[in-house]
Amino acid sequence: MIRIPAFFHEILGEVQSKTALLVIMLFTGTIVLLAGVFGYVTWSQLAFVKQLVLFVLLIDIAGGVVANVTPGTDRFYGGSARRRWVFIAIHVQPIILAWALELPLMIGIGLWAFTTACAVLLNVMREQQEQPLVAFALAGIGFMLIAFSGIAPLAAGIFLLYVCKVLISFSISFTKEAAYETRASRSVISSSISRGSLF
């Protein structure tokens, strides 16, 4: 395991495995490359400052999609309610992206408001078994809203990643779910053994 410098704890947690860091870097690099190539017509027409803001936010969002699923980041936020609320509060990227991509500001505000409201609900439901189900349902609604918003593919792709990051990767505790399933599996096996019929 690699200890992460304090400055990057909010992104990567306190510790990460080498494999996790490699996957995060490869995924983020691939997303940036795809956006740079296939979204060229969109971003090349923007002022340099807006291009810079766009790609910095893209790196942050894309990295978070996979980083938030790792045990290191999941435990960092899972152990502190305050950190989770701060995370939700500061994720105003859609509004900034709407400005950078020269979209109607209401699109950014609308997506931010929807995602933030959903994230608040999911955080309140964090300990409930149905939380992942609700998270995927809300994310699916968000995906459809983005798909029918009529914005350019580059903007839509980044907004989809944003919803995925906040409502799935961050809101669902994958480490907790893995532990829950392991306990459940052991319980079933123990019960079967005690009854004398494993199969």
Side-chain angles (χ1 to χ4, degrees), residues 81-187:
R82 178 180 175 277
R83 287 174 186 160
R84 292 196 300 274
W85 287 119
V86 170
F87 180 97
I88 293 170
I90 66 175
H91 273 72
V92 297
Q93 288 99 326
I95 299 174
I96 303 173
L97 283 167
W99 167 79
L101 288 163
E102 299 180 350
L103 299 172
L105 197 58
M106 286 308 300
I107 290 179
I109 293 174
L111 180 61
W112 166 78
F114 169 81
T115 308
T116 299
C118 293
V120 168
L121 173 63
L122 293 172
N123 199 34
V124 172
M125 294 181 63
R126 188 172 176 82
E127 301 304 322
Q128 297 184 28
Q129 187 174 343
E130 295 80 9
Q131 191 240 28
L133 174 66
V134 176
F136 275 96
L138 293 173
I141 294 171
F143 293 163
M144 290 301 290
L145 290 173
I146 294 168
F148 290 113
S149 65
I151 58 179
L154 175 62
I158 300 173
F159 284 165
L160 286 169
L161 288 172
Y162 168 81
V163 171
C164 185
K165 173 185 176 180
V166 178
L167 298 188
I168 296 178
S169 301
F170 168 75
S171 295
I172 300 175
S173 178
F174 289 90
T175 302
K176 176 188 67 178
E177 289 301 310
Y180 170 81
E181 292 190 12
T182 300
R183 289 196 302 272
S185 299
R186 288 174 181 169
S187 175

Side-chain angles (χ1 to χ4, degrees), residues 35 39 42-44 46-61 96-97 99-101 154-155 158:
T42 300
W43 65 260
S44 63
L46 304 173
F48 175 75
V49 172
K50 292 185 176 181
Q51 291 178 3
L52 183 62
V53 170
L54 171 66
F55 280 96
V56 167
L57 290 181
L58 176 59
I59 291 170
D60 174 66
I61 293 170
I96 303 173
L97 283 167
W99 167 79
L101 288 163
L154 175 62
I158 300 173

